[in-house]
Amino acid sequence: MLKIGITGGIGAGKSTVSRVISSLGYPVYDSDQRAKWLMSNSDLLKDEIIKLFGKKAFLNNELNRTFISNIVFKKPVLLEELNQLVHPKVASDYNLWVNENKKAALIFKEAAILIESGAYLEMDKIIVVVCSIEERINRVLSRDKITAGEIKKRMNAQLSDEERIEMADYVIDNSAGEKKLEENIKGIIGKILKS
Ligand code: ATP
């Protein structure tokens, strides 16, 4: 089995790439979605989050993101502490998932901070999804309730495409339409299977 990491900046198209890969029949682990799910569904993690932020951290049993964002904005060290609670749970969850999918020839892990977190070291190959900054901003603006300024702020807090490309085995340029994307992905999977 080969483990393939998928990463890229905000709005580059990681989830879109993952969706195509999934539709081709390969297992894909979405780290960010699983982290969100675990924060609202793991009793142990929920207890730890309540210890850190208080009971208001949850609203109707769901993580109260607005409350937490406001606190960590004032006290960034708490974001670091939250990450330290979440990361080991996601790591165990991922390891279980790998075990459940051990018969697959290729498994994929999508993570926005694959490189920054060091998780890329566990991958056999890394796919970096890139797209022009203008297009990424436009796509995120039509997807989320967010301003261009906020998107740029997030981009500045992330690695640049150039930095990610240095770590890539394969680069997917997602500037064109989704048809072209599928062809690119099939080509890359073919190369990986032959490698
Ligand atoms: P984030 O890091 O913000 O979660 P992401 O890298 O996972 O983003 P996606 O959610 O896959 O990016 O894509 C961002 C938006 O752009 C989505 O609304 C998606 O439908 C759209 N999109 C992605 N790829 C294409 C494409 N090739 N053509 C047109 N629209 C696209």
Side-chain angles (χ1 to χ4, degrees), residues 9-17 110 139-140 143 174 176-178 181:
I10 176 170
K14 298 176 292 296
S15 302
T16 307
V17 167
E110 174 195 337
R139 287 179 184 173
V140 176
R143 187 192 60 186
N174 184 29
E178 293 197 22
L181 184 63

Side-chain angles (χ1 to χ4, degrees), residues 50-69:
I50 289 171
K51 272 195 200 120
L52 188 62
F53 292 104
K55 285 207 166 118
K56 284 189 185 162
F58 288 88
L59 193 64
N60 305 324
N61 233 7
E62 289 291 321
L63 193 71
N64 187 346
R65 293 182 182 280
T66 315
F67 175 77
I68 291 180
S69 303

Side-chain angles (χ1 to χ4, degrees), residues 4-5 7 114-115 120 123-128 167-170:
I4 320 296
T7 192
L114 189 84
I115 296 170
Y120 74 100
M123 300 294 122
D124 297 298
K125 301 282 178 199
I126 296 169
I127 296 175
V128 170
M167 312 301 291
D169 295 288
Y170 303 97

Side-chain angles (χ1 to χ4, degrees), residues 32-47:
D32 299 337
Q33 281 302 328
R34 282 304 288 175
K36 279 186 195 152
W37 188 87
L38 288 165
M39 282 193 271
S40 291
N41 291 279
S42 151
D43 289 337
L44 170 62
L45 184 54
K46 281 168 82 173
D47 285 347

